[in-house]
Amino acid sequence: MVRAQTSHPLDPLSAAEISVAVATVRAAGATPEVRDSMRFVEVALVEPAKSVVALADAYFFPPFQPSLLPKAKGGPVIPSKLPPRQARLVVYNKKSNETSVWIVELSEVHAATRGGHHRGKVISSKVVPDVQPPMDAVEYAECEAVVKDFPPFREAMKRRGIEDMDLVMVDAWCAGYHSDADAPSRRLAKPLIFCRTESDCPMENGYARPVEGIHVLVDMQNMVLIEFEDRKLVPLPPADPLRNYTPGETRGGVDRSDVKPLQIIQPEGPSFRVNGNFVQWQKWNFRVGFTPREGLIIYSVAYIDGSRGRRPVAHRLSFVEMVVPYGDPNEPHYRKNAFDAGEDGLGKNAHSLKKGCDCLGYVKYFDAHFTNFNGGVDTIENCVCLHEEDHGLLWKHHDWRTGLAEVRRSRRLTVSFICTVANYEYGFFWHFYQDGKIEAEVKLTGVLSLGALQQGEARKYGTTIAPGLYAPVHQHFFVARMDMAVDCKPGEAFNQVVEVNLKVEEPGKDNVHNNAFYAEEELLRSEMQAMRDCNPLSARHWIIRNTRNVNRTGQLTGYKLVPGSNCLPLAGSEAKFLRRATFLKHNLWVTPYARDEKYPGGEFPNQNPRVGEGLATWVNQNRSLEEADIVLWYVFGMTHIPRLEDWPVMPVERIGFMLMPHGFFNCSPAVDVPPNASDVEIKDNGMAVKPIQNELLAKL
């Protein structure tokens, strides 16, 4: 059969495809002035319909899985090629202050009136009114330069003893939406200012000296200051000898010398196999994707279960938004409520990973390609890391009568990326386990966003961590979007969600010893009913069940979502940031799959004046969930009360949740894991695994 393209329909756009998409849109501009004003905020793959993905996996791409498609009389009718790939572009016009969305077909040659021939064709374009797209790194750099070149700003810094503008750091935070003054009719930024102590020290922690009392508002369209006021002279915090996070000798100390080498080696190679973006490990298989906004995406997750064959678990897993609201009502901290995915882009802020530090062992890296603001293509090498990890005990039992014991060591497959958004680092991880579990984990580290104090002053809403310096209390919220497909082949919509709570039995004849408790299930029948919160007192969790498949005991097969530690916003119901982040009001939302419902705060949360746009609006349809193509939106967060030990750099904090098989298997897959072989050392990750003789390893 003739393939329409060599890329799988879910593969991220290549650098060449991004260039074609940008050139096609630019050539479609009506005038030279319009074309010159185009700024390219995002170029991403248009993910095709699930039926197209199924067709590709069945007949066009290895490992070729015809069982994905339903059988038809006379055999299935297979097209000779797949539909062409498409790109979706978010374009900002710097002259007109308009945002437009374009769809470009990539696979056919079309004549263009300008620019010659392009392997691209504009399918559609539309201007989206009353929005501002995410900010870009180019804009941030231009904003910093404009502020530092503004004479009144330079005078204000002189009053604080700073004349060298090379010491000054300007972080162009999005304006958010607090009143009509923040309306998206203007593209605005309200920068935060910091100041280093040494201009020749590139690794100095400039966030250790926040500049307070200066109000700046920047028109990012025309790149000019439209408001400036030196409201209050707050002295810069003194230079703290503990402020830097560089090696010990650069801070007057020494690094620890009592740590011996710890080696993670796999002399026979890894146990995973990679073909393009398709990954196979143990009984798991899935595809790796990446977008500028979400970063890492896991597609088409399935488990190979003996005679039952390929059993789907999820169609798409990703982190679609994160919000960081601060709890200090004082200027400027009250307006710090960053939407790091929707206002900036988690993927665009990712960085290259280093073997031996970010990831250990035998590592397979995936590069990521993005457009920059001017339409060029940037590549982040080693952006996504795939590797195996030793994970302690998988299971053990010792029989005291015989003295015999069985034990298995656990390993997991980890797919991850790390991004930096201003002062904070976030690591996003998906872990796959040998017993069928999937764990989602976020690791938070980096540098705190700080405020300056007057001499002798303390703040109720933060922690004093150094002389003249405090860290406001704040929260971090993450939204995982999980397009589930538990035991569902493509085209099937046979899932539902059940909430489980543990209940204490009422005293009486059924509980004469007052010790009885039981699990009570409730089917979440509609979207409004499915707005739920965590409750550790009742061990609350949720099961995604297939309504047609049963296990050997006759129970419906399923996967359960087990919450980790969690919280809700510590803010009043009228808090301004909750206008844009209404989805934070509940930990769980459930919707039937809709192709255009991707982002819980809407596609353009930057300066968004519309209350509750996105998830909170979609669920008002109150669609049925009794048997549907289910999408879970799990909101999880942590409340950060900074400690002295979080300075100058915050040790990693972990937060996440688990997807666990629940009646999905007839018995634990962990039983089939081979015991440790005597000729394999623990440093080899603990377990003997048959070497993979595959030419793909040579390409890793």
Side-chain angles (χ1 to χ4, degrees):
M1 277 174 278
V2 179
R3 293 188 183 180
Q5 67 274 326
T6 56
S7 297
H8 186 277
L10 292 177
D11 284 351
L13 294 179
S14 66
E17 287 176 316
I18 293 172
S19 295
V20 167
V22 168
T24 302
V25 169
R26 184 171 271 143
T31 66
E33 188 177 51
V34 169
R35 296 194 290 276
D36 291 344
S37 297
M38 286 181 172
R39 298 296 181 268
F40 295 86
V41 177
E42 179 180 303
V43 182
L45 175 73
V46 175
E47 295 177 10
K50 295 179 181 181
S51 58
V52 173
V53 176
L55 183 64
D57 290 338
Y59 295 108
F60 286 82
F61 291 88
F64 305 114
Q65 305 165 83
S67 61
L68 285 175
L69 298 180
K71 295 180 180 179
K73 292 182 178 179
V77 178
I78 306 169
S80 61
K81 62 181 182 178
L82 294 170
R85 280 160 63 87
Q86 295 182 343
R88 186 177 188 272
L89 299 88
V90 177
V91 180
Y92 175 69
N93 188 299
K94 194 168 176 64
K95 183 173 180 61
S96 65
N97 193 35
E98 288 181 332
T99 300
S100 57
V101 174
W102 300 67
I103 305 296
V104 172
E105 186 178 285
L106 296 170
S107 65
E108 297 181 18
V109 178
H110 298 274
T113 56
R114 289 171 300 273
H117 291 272
H118 298 280
R119 291 185 59 82
K121 175 186 177 183
V122 174
I123 301 300
S124 66
S125 66
K126 65 177 181 179
V127 173
V128 185
D130 205 25
V131 301
Q132 284 294 337
M135 292 290 187
D136 186 84
V138 170
E139 292 180 289
Y140 290 149
E142 291 177 352
C143 177
E144 180 174 72
V146 165
V147 171
K148 290 163 69 169
D149 198 44
F150 188 62
F153 176 78
R154 299 172 76 95
E155 288 298 317
M157 293 307 297
K158 275 187 181 180
R159 285 193 287 274
R160 290 160 174 80
I162 303 298
E163 296 191 31
D164 183 359
M165 286 297 108
D166 288 340
L167 297 174
V168 178
M169 299 163 43
V170 180
D171 280 8
W173 281 52
C174 293
Y177 188 88
H178 293 84
S179 68
D180 290 344
D182 301 323
S185 56
R186 300 182 299 174
R187 187 163 175 80
L188 302 175
K190 295 182 179 179
L192 299 178
I193 316 296
F194 304 89
C195 186
R196 296 185 290 124
T197 62
E198 303 174 50
S199 59
D200 59 349
C201 181
M203 288 298 291
E204 182 182 350
N205 178 15
Y207 291 109
R209 294 214 299 168
V211 179
E212 292 216 15
I214 295 178
H215 167 75
V216 182
L217 182 66
V218 178
D219 176 343
M220 300 291 281
Q221 176 193 359
N222 302 298
M223 210 51 72
V224 295
L225 271 72
I226 53 178
E227 291 181 17
F228 177 84
E229 186 178 355
D230 191 353
R231 293 176 173 173
K232 183 179 181 182
L233 183 59
V234 180
L236 286 172
D240 183 355
L242 301 178
R243 69 188 180 279
N244 288 341
Y245 48 84
T246 46
E249 59 268 17
T250 67
R251 292 179 283 110
V254 295
D255 290 330
R256 300 183 190 184
S257 60
D258 57 347
V259 178
K260 304 297 184 183
L262 176 63
Q263 295 183 331
I264 306 295
I265 63 173
Q266 294 176 273
E268 297 180 348
S271 301
F272 56 76
R273 289 173 287 178
V274 179
N275 186 353
N277 286 62
F278 183 69
V279 177
Q280 295 171 286
W281 178 77
Q282 298 279 282
K283 298 178 183 294
W284 289 108
N285 60 63
F286 54 85
R287 289 190 173 274
V288 173
F290 206 87
T291 70
R293 181 168 182 153
E294 299 161 83
L296 176 63
I297 301 172
I298 307 294
Y299 293 111
S300 304
V301 180
Y303 193 94
I304 308 303
D305 187 15
S307 61
R308 298 193 67 168
R310 182 184 186 274
R311 301 182 67 186
V313 175
H315 178 72
R316 190 183 194 275
L317 306 173
S318 71
F319 296 95
V320 287
E321 190 56 273
M322 60 173 292
V323 183
V324 188
Y326 281 70
D328 187 338
N330 296 287
E331 179 80 37
H333 308 288
Y334 76 90
R335 58 180 171 83
K336 289 158 64 174
N337 46 82
F339 285 61
D340 286 337
E343 290 179 340
D344 287 285
L346 300 177
K348 289 184 74 170
N349 284 286
H351 42 80
S352 296
L353 302 174
K354 291 184 178 180
K355 187 173 182 180
C357 192
D358 294 305
C359 305
L360 296 177
Y362 199 111
V363 179
K364 161 65 179 174
Y365 289 110
F366 299 85
D367 297 342
H369 308 286
F370 307 105
T371 182
N372 57 39
F373 208 43
N374 297 316
V377 179
D378 295 332
T379 296
I380 302 176
E381 296 181 347
N382 297 351
C383 185
V384 172
C385 171
L386 172 74
H387 69 291
E388 295 175 286
E389 296 178 340
D390 178 86
H391 198 251
L393 285 179
L394 177 61
W395 61 268
K396 180 175 183 174
H397 180 65
H398 178 268
D399 189 323
W400 65 269
R401 290 181 175 84
T402 64
L404 299 177
E406 282 288 321
V407 61
R408 301 290 187 273
R409 193 147 189 91
S410 177
R411 70 169 60 184
R412 65 185 184 186
L413 184 69
T414 295
V415 199
S416 63
F417 82 105
I418 301 173
C419 67
T420 301
V421 186
N423 52 293
Y424 257 109
E425 265 73 24
Y426 300 96
F428 296 90
F429 298 77
W430 292 96
H431 304 293
F432 294 84
Y433 290 86
Q434 293 165 302
D435 60 352
K437 292 197 302 282
I438 303 171
E439 181 183 14
E441 182 182 39
V442 180
K443 297 180 182 179
L444 302 84
T445 179
V447 178
L448 297 166
S449 182
L450 304 168
L453 297 172
Q454 299 274 20
Q455 186 174 0
E457 182 186 10
R459 282 281 173 88
K460 177 180 181 181
Y461 308 102
T463 302
T464 301
I465 60 171
L469 196 62
Y470 85 106
V473 294
H474 57 280
Q475 295 181 290
H476 301 261
F477 290 99
F478 306 88
V479 184
R481 179 182 180 273
M482 295 169 280
D483 182 355
M484 303 301 293
V486 177
D487 262 344
C488 286
K489 289 185 177 181
E492 296 180 345
F494 299 149
N495 281 177
Q496 60 183 202
V497 180
V498 174
E499 180 174 286
V500 181
N501 288 281
L502 274 294
K503 295 291 185 71
V504 174
E505 185 66 79
E506 293 292 331
K509 63 182 180 64
D510 293 328
N511 189 19
V512 295
H513 302 292
N514 289 311
N515 69 311
F517 64 94
Y518 59 97
E520 183 176 81
E521 297 184 355
E522 180 183 7
L523 174 63
L524 303 181
R525 299 180 181 276
S526 66
E527 291 177 284
M528 297 297 285
Q529 186 187 357
M531 296 185 294
R532 307 299 298 164
D533 297 328
C534 295
N535 184 359
L537 298 179
S538 67
R540 180 174 293 169
H541 58 275
W542 298 276
I543 302 173
I544 307 96
R545 281 189 172 147
N546 187 289
T547 58
R548 307 291 179 93
N549 285 354
V550 296
N551 54 34
R552 65 173 179 169
T553 65
Q555 299 169 324
L556 297 175
T557 60
Y559 256 75
K560 69 177 180 179
L561 168 59
V562 181
S565 60
N566 209 335
C567 62
L568 289 169
L570 294 170
S573 59
E574 300 303 313
K576 292 293 192 297
F577 76 89
L578 287 176
R579 290 173 55 99
R580 299 188 296 149
T582 310
F583 54 87
L584 297 184
K585 292 185 176 181
H586 296 288
N587 296 127
L588 182 78
W589 306 70
V590 187
T591 61
Y593 172 78
R595 191 172 181 181
D596 294 331
E597 295 180 2
K598 289 186 176 180
Y599 308 117
E603 182 170 10
F604 300 105
N606 186 14
Q607 296 177 240
N608 183 8
R610 296 168 291 280
V611 180
E613 186 171 54
L615 187 53
T617 298
W618 301 331
V619 299
N620 288 333
Q621 301 170 76
N622 206 24
R623 292 165 289 189
S624 173
L625 302 172
E626 292 193 48
E627 189 174 66
D629 188 352
I630 292 294
V631 177
L632 295 179
W633 309 76
Y634 182 61
V635 181
F636 60 106
M638 62 168 289
T639 301
H640 191 184
I641 305 172
R643 312 165 298 156
L644 288 175
E645 292 80 6
D646 290 335
W647 185 249
V649 64
M650 189 182 82
V652 164
E653 295 274 358
R654 293 174 171 85
I655 184 172
F657 61 92
M658 195 78 75
L659 289 169
M660 302 178 66
H662 186 84
F664 189 78
F665 301 107
N666 285 330
C667 69
S668 173
V671 174
D672 299 327
V673 175
N676 291 336
S678 59
D679 61 342
V680 178
E681 300 178 69
I682 293 299
K683 68 180 181 180
D684 296 334
N685 248 5
M687 187 189 308
V689 177
K690 184 178 180 181
I692 300 171
Q693 302 299 327
N694 193 309
E695 62 182 4
L696 292 172
L697 288 179
K699 300 178 182 179
L700 296 179

